[in-house]
Amino acid sequence: MPSPPASSESHYSADAIAAALRSDIWHGRLRSGEPLRQDEIASRYGVSKIPVREALYQLKAEGLVTFYPNRGAVVSELSAAEVDEIYAMRAALETTALQRAIPRLTIADLRRAEEILSTLDQEKNVARWSELNWEFHAVLYNPANMPRLMEWVKTLHFNVSRYLIIYLAGMDYQHQSQSEHRQILAACRNGEISLAVNLLQQHLQSASKHLTTFLKELAD
């Protein structure tokens, strides 16, 4: 398990521990099915088991941790069916956000989105692709001014992105994804709301299809 960030403090809050574990899960440093032993985490962070338990229950509520009798907490594993469900939820939420955001997008927003795509083109670290992908979508959605929706979307995004990191490491899907991103951005730039929403819907459906196929193959 990755070490906690360096600090002169010998204690961490439940929220801080949850944030650190969440980041490790999102970025694939903690893999699906990996045990999360409370005593080890408590020792690593210099705390009692109480904030560790609270942190793990926070992550359970987000779908990132599962508790098993006589086994304790483990990093949740997603089935192909669960990934399909998550993408269906994402499509409903994200298309709503984009539809509301497009009339409010500024030149600065559009320029920032293009810069992120350019950075993605050059990025070799697969783990960074997920972060940059989220940044791109967030720039386009944030003007909708729907913070609660955005929190749900972010959680759903990173819940599946840990699998995309594994998948993308061995596939050439990123090129297709970038092409789709630029089509969405062009529609946003032109104020073509219906087209942008349709392109986003297709983009998410494509990602869902690739990832569910990959998980089904792993299960066979």
Side-chain angles (χ1 to χ4, degrees):
M1 182 179 297
S3 299
S7 171
S8 59
E9 298 292 330
S10 60
H11 61 275
Y12 292 84
S13 68
D15 287 344
I17 295 170
L21 294 174
R22 184 186 298 113
S23 178
D24 287 337
I25 294 170
W26 280 355
H27 294 92
R29 293 186 289 269
L30 287 173
R31 297 298 185 93
S32 297
E34 188 167 341
L36 298 167
R37 297 182 176 86
Q38 294 185 32
D39 53 348
E40 291 182 5
I41 297 172
S43 175
R44 195 172 298 271
Y45 286 90
V47 297
S48 70
K49 290 184 181 180
I50 295 175
V52 173
R53 189 176 303 113
E54 292 176 1
L56 292 175
Y57 273 101
Q58 284 186 40
L59 299 179
K60 178 179 181 292
E62 298 172 16
L64 295 174
V65 167
T66 301
F67 285 86
Y68 292 102
N70 304 318
R71 185 180 171 192
V74 301
V75 178
S76 296
E77 297 184 78
L78 293 178
S79 66
E82 288 169 324
V83 167
D84 180 67
E85 180 182 4
I86 287 174
Y87 270 103
M89 294 170 67
R90 284 187 59 184
L93 296 173
E94 294 182 42
T95 53
T96 296
L98 185 63
Q99 185 174 28
R100 294 196 182 192
I102 289 176
R104 302 175 183 177
L105 285 169
T106 65
I107 293 175
D109 292 329
L110 296 169
R111 184 179 297 119
R112 176 59 186 150
E114 183 61 51
E115 289 173 352
I116 294 169
L117 293 184
S118 296
T119 301
L120 255 170
D121 285 337
Q122 304 300 320
E123 181 59 59
K124 303 301 182 184
N125 183 353
V126 176
R128 277 284 290 152
W129 289 353
S130 178
E131 294 176 6
L132 291 167
N133 182 60
W134 167 247
E135 288 178 26
F136 169 76
H137 285 278
V139 165
L140 297 183
Y141 304 159
N142 279 331
N145 193 27
M146 303 177 75
R148 292 183 181 181
L149 181 148
M150 287 296 290
E151 283 300 314
W152 274 106
V153 170
K154 184 177 182 179
T155 296
L156 293 170
H157 169 89
F158 281 106
N159 210 327
V160 293
S161 72
R162 55 196 170 114
Y163 289 91
L164 275 174
I165 289 172
I166 301 170
Y167 172 76
L168 290 172
M171 303 296 289
D172 192 30
Y173 173 67
Q174 185 68 356
H175 177 75
Q176 176 186 335
S177 179
Q178 281 290 82
S179 176
E180 294 169 356
H181 283 156
R182 287 196 159 86
Q183 292 177 48
I184 294 168
L185 180 56
C188 290
R189 187 180 290 113
N190 294 330
E192 298 176 288
I193 297 177
S194 295
L195 176 59
V197 168
N198 287 337
L199 288 169
L200 175 59
Q201 182 86 34
Q202 293 170 22
H203 174 64
L204 293 172
Q205 288 174 346
S206 175
S208 177
K209 180 180 178 181
H210 281 84
L211 193 50
T212 54
T213 299
F214 172 68
L215 290 176
K216 287 176 182 176
E217 291 174 350
L218 281 182
D220 291 342

Coordinates of all heavy atoms in Angstrom, one line a residue, residues 144-186:
A144 N -22.3 24.9 -16.1 CA -23.7 24.6 -15.8 C -24.1 25.0 -14.4 O -25.3 25.1 -14.1 CB -24.0 23.1 -16.0
N145 N -23.1 25.1 -13.6 CA -23.3 25.5 -12.1 C -24.2 24.5 -11.4 O -25.2 24.9 -10.8 CB -23.8 26.9 -12.0 CG -23.8 27.5 -10.6 OD1 -22.9 27.1 -9.8 ND2 -24.7 28.4 -10.3
M146 N -23.8 23.3 -11.5 CA -24.5 22.2 -10.8 C -23.5 21.4 -10.0 O -23.1 20.3 -10.4 CB -25.2 21.3 -11.9 CG -26.1 22.0 -12.8 SD -26.9 21.0 -14.1 CE -28.1 20.1 -13.1
P147 N -23.1 21.9 -8.8 CA -22.0 21.3 -8.1 C -22.4 19.9 -7.5 O -21.5 19.0 -7.5 CB -21.8 22.3 -6.9 CG -23.0 23.1 -6.8 CD -23.5 23.2 -8.3
R148 N -23.6 19.7 -7.2 CA -24.0 18.3 -6.6 C -23.9 17.3 -7.8 O -23.4 16.2 -7.6 CB -25.4 18.3 -6.1 CG -25.5 19.2 -4.8 CD -26.9 19.1 -4.2 NE -27.1 19.9 -3.0 CZ -28.2 20.0 -2.3 NH1 -29.2 19.3 -2.7 NH2 -28.2 20.8 -1.3
L149 N -24.4 17.7 -8.9 CA -24.3 16.8 -10.1 C -22.8 16.5 -10.4 O -22.5 15.3 -10.7 CB -25.0 17.4 -11.3 CG -25.0 16.6 -12.6 CD1 -26.3 16.8 -13.4 CD2 -23.8 16.9 -13.4
M150 N -22.0 17.5 -10.3 CA -20.6 17.3 -10.7 C -19.9 16.4 -9.7 O -19.0 15.6 -10.1 CB -19.9 18.7 -10.7 CG -20.2 19.5 -11.9 SD -19.7 18.8 -13.5 CE -17.9 18.9 -13.4
E151 N -20.2 16.4 -8.4 CA -19.6 15.5 -7.5 C -20.0 14.1 -7.8 O -19.1 13.2 -7.7 CB -20.1 15.9 -6.0 CG -19.4 17.1 -5.4 CD -17.9 16.9 -5.3 OE1 -17.5 15.8 -4.9 OE2 -17.2 17.8 -5.7
W152 N -21.2 13.8 -8.2 CA -21.6 12.5 -8.6 C -20.9 12.0 -9.8 O -20.4 10.9 -9.9 CB -23.1 12.4 -8.8 CG -23.9 12.2 -7.5 CD1 -24.6 13.1 -6.8 CD2 -24.0 10.9 -6.8 NE1 -25.2 12.5 -5.7 CE2 -24.8 11.1 -5.7 CE3 -23.5 9.7 -7.0 CZ2 -25.1 10.1 -4.7 CZ3 -23.8 8.7 -6.1 CH2 -24.5 8.9 -5.0
V153 N -20.8 12.9 -10.8 CA -20.2 12.6 -12.1 C -18.7 12.3 -11.8 O -18.2 11.3 -12.4 CB -20.3 13.8 -13.1 CG1 -19.4 13.5 -14.3 CG2 -21.8 13.9 -13.5
K154 N -18.0 13.1 -11.0 CA -16.6 12.8 -10.7 C -16.4 11.5 -10.1 O -15.5 10.7 -10.5 CB -16.1 13.9 -9.8 CG -14.6 13.8 -9.6 CD -14.1 15.0 -8.7 CE -12.6 14.9 -8.5 NZ -12.0 16.0 -7.7
T155 N -17.3 11.1 -9.1 CA -17.2 9.8 -8.4 C -17.4 8.7 -9.4 O -16.6 7.7 -9.5 CB -18.2 9.7 -7.3 OG1 -17.9 10.7 -6.3 CG2 -18.2 8.3 -6.7
L156 N -18.4 8.8 -10.3 CA -18.6 7.8 -11.3 C -17.5 7.7 -12.3 O -17.1 6.6 -12.7 CB -20.0 8.1 -12.0 CG -21.2 8.0 -11.2 CD1 -22.4 8.6 -12.0 CD2 -21.5 6.6 -10.8
H157 N -17.0 8.8 -12.7 CA -15.9 8.9 -13.7 C -14.7 8.1 -13.2 O -14.1 7.2 -13.9 CB -15.5 10.3 -14.0 CG -14.2 10.4 -14.7 ND1 -14.1 10.4 -16.1 CD2 -12.9 10.5 -14.3 CE1 -12.9 10.5 -16.5 NE2 -12.1 10.6 -15.4
F158 N -14.2 8.4 -11.9 CA -13.0 7.7 -11.4 C -13.3 6.3 -11.0 O -12.3 5.5 -10.9 CB -12.4 8.6 -10.3 CG -11.7 9.7 -10.8 CD1 -12.2 11.0 -10.7 CD2 -10.4 9.6 -11.4 CE1 -11.5 12.1 -11.2 CE2 -9.7 10.7 -11.9 CZ -10.2 11.9 -11.8
N159 N -14.5 6.0 -10.7 CA -14.8 4.6 -10.3 C -14.6 3.6 -11.5 O -14.1 2.5 -11.3 CB -16.3 4.5 -9.9 CG -16.5 3.4 -8.9 OD1 -15.8 2.4 -8.9 ND2 -17.4 3.6 -7.9
V160 N -14.8 4.1 -12.7 CA -14.6 3.2 -13.9 C -13.2 3.5 -14.5 O -12.6 2.6 -15.2 CB -15.6 3.4 -15.0 CG1 -16.9 2.8 -14.5 CG2 -15.8 4.8 -15.4
S161 N -12.6 4.7 -14.2 CA -11.4 5.0 -14.8 C -10.2 4.1 -14.4 O -9.3 3.9 -15.1 CB -11.0 6.5 -14.6 OG -10.6 6.7 -13.2
R162 N -10.3 3.6 -13.2 CA -9.3 2.7 -12.7 C -9.2 1.4 -13.6 O -8.1 0.9 -13.7 CB -9.5 2.3 -11.2 CG -10.9 1.7 -10.9 CD -11.1 1.7 -9.4 NE -12.5 1.4 -9.1 CZ -12.9 0.3 -8.5 NH1 -12.0 -0.6 -8.1 NH2 -14.1 0.1 -8.2
Y163 N -10.3 1.1 -14.2 CA -10.3 -0.1 -15.1 C -9.8 0.4 -16.5 O -9.1 -0.4 -17.2 CB -11.7 -0.7 -15.2 CG -12.1 -1.4 -14.0 CD1 -12.8 -0.8 -13.0 CD2 -11.8 -2.8 -13.8 CE1 -13.2 -1.5 -11.8 CE2 -12.1 -3.5 -12.7 CZ -12.8 -2.8 -11.7 OH -13.2 -3.5 -10.6
L164 N -10.1 1.6 -16.9 CA -9.7 2.1 -18.1 C -8.1 2.2 -18.2 O -7.5 2.1 -19.2 CB -10.3 3.5 -18.4 CG -11.7 3.5 -19.1 CD1 -12.2 4.9 -19.1 CD2 -11.6 2.9 -20.4
I165 N -7.5 2.6 -17.0 CA -6.1 2.6 -17.0 C -5.5 1.3 -17.4 O -4.5 1.3 -18.2 CB -5.6 3.0 -15.5 CG1 -6.0 4.5 -15.3 CG2 -4.1 2.8 -15.4 CD1 -5.8 4.9 -13.8
I166 N -6.0 0.2 -16.9 CA -5.5 -1.1 -17.2 C -5.8 -1.4 -18.7 O -4.9 -1.9 -19.4 CB -6.2 -2.2 -16.3 CG1 -5.9 -1.9 -14.8 CG2 -5.7 -3.6 -16.7 CD1 -6.7 -2.8 -13.9
Y167 N -7.0 -1.1 -19.1 CA -7.4 -1.4 -20.5 C -6.5 -0.6 -21.5 O -6.0 -1.1 -22.5 CB -8.9 -1.1 -20.7 CG -9.3 -1.1 -22.1 CD1 -9.6 -2.4 -22.7 CD2 -9.6 0.0 -22.9 CE1 -10.0 -2.5 -24.0 CE2 -10.0 -0.1 -24.2 CZ -10.2 -1.3 -24.7 OH -10.6 -1.4 -26.0
L168 N -6.4 0.7 -21.2 CA -5.7 1.6 -22.2 C -4.2 1.3 -22.3 O -3.6 1.6 -23.3 CB -5.9 3.1 -21.8 CG -7.3 3.6 -21.9 CD1 -7.4 5.0 -21.3 CD2 -7.7 3.7 -23.4
A169 N -3.7 0.7 -21.2 CA -2.3 0.4 -21.2 C -1.9 -0.6 -22.4 O -0.8 -0.6 -22.9 CB -1.8 -0.2 -19.9
G170 N -2.9 -1.4 -22.8 CA -2.6 -2.3 -23.8 C -3.4 -2.1 -25.1 O -3.3 -3.0 -26.0
M171 N -4.1 -1.0 -25.2 CA -4.9 -0.8 -26.4 C -4.7 0.6 -27.0 O -4.1 1.4 -26.4 CB -6.4 -1.0 -26.0 CG -6.8 -2.3 -25.4 SD -6.5 -3.7 -26.5 CE -7.9 -3.4 -27.7
D172 N -5.2 0.8 -28.2 CA -5.0 2.0 -28.9 C -6.3 2.8 -28.9 O -6.7 3.5 -29.8 CB -4.6 1.8 -30.3 CG -4.1 3.1 -31.0 OD1 -3.6 4.0 -30.3 OD2 -4.3 3.2 -32.2
Y173 N -7.1 2.7 -27.8 CA -8.4 3.4 -27.7 C -8.2 4.9 -27.5 O -9.1 5.7 -27.9 CB -9.2 2.8 -26.5 CG -10.5 3.6 -26.3 CD1 -11.5 3.6 -27.2 CD2 -10.6 4.3 -25.1 CE1 -12.7 4.3 -27.0 CE2 -11.8 5.0 -24.9 CZ -12.8 5.0 -25.8 OH -14.0 5.7 -25.6
Q174 N -7.1 5.3 -27.0 CA -6.9 6.8 -26.7 C -7.0 7.6 -27.9 O -7.5 8.7 -27.9 CB -5.5 7.0 -26.0 CG -5.3 8.4 -25.5 CD -6.2 8.8 -24.3 OE1 -7.1 8.0 -23.9 NE2 -6.0 10.0 -23.8
H175 N -6.5 7.1 -29.0 CA -6.6 7.9 -30.3 C -8.1 8.2 -30.7 O -8.4 9.3 -31.0 CB -5.9 7.2 -31.4 CG -6.0 7.9 -32.7 ND1 -5.2 9.0 -33.0 CD2 -6.7 7.6 -33.8 CE1 -5.5 9.4 -34.3 NE2 -6.4 8.6 -34.8
Q176 N -8.9 7.1 -30.6 CA -10.3 7.3 -30.9 C -11.0 8.3 -29.9 O -11.8 9.1 -30.3 CB -11.0 5.9 -30.8 CG -12.5 6.0 -31.0 CD -13.2 4.7 -30.8 OE1 -12.6 3.6 -30.9 NE2 -14.5 4.7 -30.4
S177 N -10.6 8.1 -28.6 CA -11.2 9.0 -27.6 C -10.9 10.5 -27.9 O -11.7 11.3 -27.7 CB -10.7 8.6 -26.2 OG -11.2 9.4 -25.2
Q178 N -9.6 10.7 -28.2 CA -9.2 12.1 -28.5 C -10.0 12.7 -29.7 O -10.3 13.9 -29.7 CB -7.7 12.1 -28.7 CG -6.9 12.1 -27.5 CD -7.0 13.4 -26.7 OE1 -8.0 13.6 -25.9 NE2 -6.0 14.3 -26.8
S179 N -10.2 11.9 -30.7 CA -10.9 12.3 -31.9 C -12.3 12.7 -31.5 O -12.9 13.7 -31.9 CB -10.9 11.2 -33.0 OG -11.7 11.6 -34.0
E180 N -12.9 11.9 -30.6 CA -14.3 12.2 -30.2 C -14.3 13.4 -29.3 O -15.3 14.2 -29.4 CB -14.8 10.9 -29.4 CG -15.0 9.7 -30.3 CD -15.3 8.5 -29.5 OE1 -15.3 8.5 -28.2 OE2 -15.5 7.4 -30.1
H181 N -13.3 13.6 -28.5 CA -13.2 14.8 -27.6 C -13.2 16.1 -28.5 O -13.9 17.0 -28.2 CB -11.9 14.8 -26.8 CG -12.0 13.9 -25.6 ND1 -10.9 13.3 -25.0 CD2 -13.1 13.4 -24.9 CE1 -11.2 12.6 -24.0 NE2 -12.6 12.6 -23.9
R182 N -12.4 16.0 -29.6 CA -12.3 17.2 -30.4 C -13.6 17.5 -31.2 O -14.0 18.6 -31.4 CB -11.1 17.1 -31.4 CG -9.8 17.2 -30.7 CD -8.6 17.4 -31.6 NE -7.5 18.1 -30.9 CZ -6.6 17.4 -30.2 NH1 -6.7 16.1 -30.1 NH2 -5.7 18.1 -29.6
Q183 N -14.4 16.4 -31.5 CA -15.7 16.7 -32.2 C -16.6 17.3 -31.2 O -17.4 18.2 -31.6 CB -16.2 15.3 -32.6 CG -15.4 14.7 -33.8 CD -16.0 13.3 -34.2 OE1 -17.2 13.2 -34.3 NE2 -15.1 12.3 -34.3
I184 N -16.6 16.9 -29.9 CA -17.5 17.5 -28.9 C -17.1 18.9 -28.7 O -18.0 19.8 -28.7 CB -17.4 16.7 -27.6 CG1 -17.9 15.3 -27.7 CG2 -18.1 17.4 -26.5 CD1 -17.6 14.3 -26.6
L185 N -15.8 19.2 -28.6 CA -15.3 20.6 -28.4 C -15.7 21.5 -29.6 O -16.2 22.6 -29.3 CB -13.8 20.6 -28.2 CG -13.2 21.9 -27.9 CD1 -13.8 22.6 -26.7 CD2 -11.7 21.8 -27.7
A186 N -15.6 21.0 -30.8 CA -16.0 21.8 -31.9 C -17.5 22.1 -31.9 O -17.8 23.3 -32.2 CB -15.6 21.0 -33.2

